Amino acid sequence: MNAERPFAAMSPATGEDVVLQAFRAESTRLCEVLGELTEAQFALATPCPPWNVAELAVHINSAVARVLAGLAAPAPPRADIAAADYYRPEIFDGAANAERVRMAQRDAAVYQNATAITAAFGDTWRQADIAISGQPADRMITTRWGDGILLSEFMITRVVELVLHGLDIAIALGASAWTTPEAAAVVGDFLRIEPAATHLGWDRPTALAKASGRAALSTRESAELARLNITWRRFG
């Protein structure tokens, strides 16, 4: 592993860290989408009740801001978890989810309009991008739950947040998913969609929606997944 770069997997086309490339691409695209929305669209209900689009966008902004908070704090002595462990069910219990809902609603009320929310997200992801650059491969941060995690692993979870909540916003808008290829690849690997996608003939956007619970499984699909012993948990 290159000690001067935070991510080991490199894009053969650009030589750039694939997770960081995915973070930049998906953040850029989401910012573009938010910038095109009207105030009425920001008020639409999402599949993450009781949040509307504005509140969900603020939640995404907060998720990305946790990169900055983690890097600003002292590094923990060890990594306790990897990316997959971040979403363990015992952490995201009813009390934790209620607190996430309350925080996003409270924070969204601070912004005057959709333009302000979009600008805040644009500032946050660009600041995070700058802060990540040049971090060593073994840089660790502490999550909001108190776990030590490698920055490279934590950034996978940030791409997951961008992609899956981007799907939620697309559903709220009645729009097609805009997931970038770079981010779809990272989240596809994280969710391990390839065996099911290949067997059932899903393209990657369909597989992401199905695996994350954003799209319903048909009776046949459920039966085939059970036969293959493939299960996914719902990512909120």
Side-chain angles (χ1 to χ4, degrees):
M1 182 180 292
N2 187 331
E4 295 184 359
R5 298 187 66 87
F7 306 112
M10 307 293 288
S11 165
T14 65
E16 187 178 51
D17 305 307
V18 295
V19 177
L20 182 54
Q21 186 178 41
F23 173 73
R24 287 172 176 162
E26 196 66 12
S27 295
T28 298
R29 185 69 187 109
L30 178 59
C31 211
E32 291 170 350
V33 170
L34 295 178
E36 294 169 355
L37 301 185
T38 65
E39 294 292 339
Q41 288 173 311
F42 265 79
L44 291 172
T46 73
C48 299
W51 287 335
N52 58 24
V53 171
E55 291 160 347
L56 184 51
V58 169
H59 169 71
I60 298 170
N61 184 60
S62 297
V64 173
R66 294 197 181 281
V67 177
L68 296 168
L71 288 172
R78 65 183 179 278
D80 303 305
I81 62 171
D85 306 311
Y86 181 83
Y87 293 101
R88 60 196 188 276
E90 61 269 26
I91 289 295
F92 292 90
D93 59 13
N97 285 329
E99 176 64 10
R100 288 196 304 159
V101 167
R102 185 192 67 79
M103 287 177 59
Q105 291 177 320
R106 179 202 66 197
D107 294 346
V110 173
Y111 296 99
Q112 293 183 338
N113 51 38
T115 300
I117 292 174
T118 302
F121 174 67
D123 288 344
T124 300
W125 87 255
R126 290 182 179 89
Q127 289 176 30
D129 182 39
I130 292 169
I132 294 164
S133 298
Q135 293 291 336
D138 60 352
R139 179 64 160 97
M140 291 183 288
I141 64 172
T142 302
T143 72
R144 64 180 296 193
W145 317 113
D147 299 306
I149 187 172
L150 281 167
L151 175 61
S152 55
E153 290 288 305
F154 189 66
M155 288 309 300
I156 293 173
T157 72
R158 299 309 88 183
V159 178
V160 170
E161 295 285 323
L162 286 163
V163 167
L164 298 190
H165 284 318
L167 291 176
D168 291 325
I169 293 176
I171 291 168
L173 299 172
S176 299
W178 53 76
T179 313
T180 61
E182 300 92 334
V186 169
V187 179
D189 287 345
F190 177 79
L191 295 178
R192 298 179 181 176
I193 63 173
E194 212 53 54
T198 299
H199 184 78
L200 292 166
W202 293 338
D203 59 20
R204 184 168 275 161
T206 299
L208 288 175
K210 299 271 190 179
S212 66
R214 269 66 184 175
L217 295 167
S218 69
T219 301
R220 182 186 71 84
E221 289 169 340
S222 294
E224 283 298 298
L225 292 175
R227 188 179 68 81
L228 295 168
N229 197 29
I230 295 174
T231 58
W232 297 294
R233 67 176 183 265
R234 178 69 159 82
F235 286 84

